[in-house]
Amino acid sequence: MSEQVFFAQAEASAWVEVAPGNRRRVLIHTPELMQVEFGFDKGGVGALHSHPHIQVSYVAEGRFEVTIGGKTEIVGTGGSFIVPGGVVHGVVALEAGRLVDVFTPMRADFV
C-alpha cells in the first residue's frame, strides 16, 4: 500500500500539451478526487466533450466563454462553474488564463 500524499507543489508537476494553446498539469489526486490546472493562451480551446466525472472549475486568471449543456456564458477571474457527469461542455479562452479543475472521481486518463 502506498503512502497517502497530503501536499503537492505546482513545480513538481509537468505541463502536458492538450491542444495548441491548451495545456494541463495534474496537481494532486486520490482515487476519489483530483485537482488539475489548465493553462490557456488567448484563443485556446477546450473542445466540447463529456466524461462521467463531476467537475467544478475555478477561473484563477483570465476570461473564458464556457459552454455547458448547450448554454454559454462568460466567466472571468474568480468565477466558477460546475459540470455534471455526462454533460457536454467546453471553453474558449477570450484572453490568456488558467482554470483549476477538480474532478470526482479522479480522471485515470490524466495519469
Side-chain angles (χ1 to χ4, degrees), residues 24-68:
R24 74 169 178 248
R25 61 181 171 181
V26 174
L27 299 174
I28 195 165
H29 66 86
T30 68
E32 302 84 14
L33 193 66
M34 173 181 269
Q35 186 179 53
V36 180
E37 181 179 15
F38 285 84
F40 288 86
D41 298 336
K42 181 178 181 178
V45 174
L48 289 173
H49 66 287
S50 69
H51 45 73
H53 314 81
I54 299 169
Q55 172 184 333
V56 62
S57 299
Y58 172 73
V59 180
E61 180 179 26
R63 289 178 51 240
F64 293 83
E65 180 183 271
V66 181
T67 300
I68 303 168

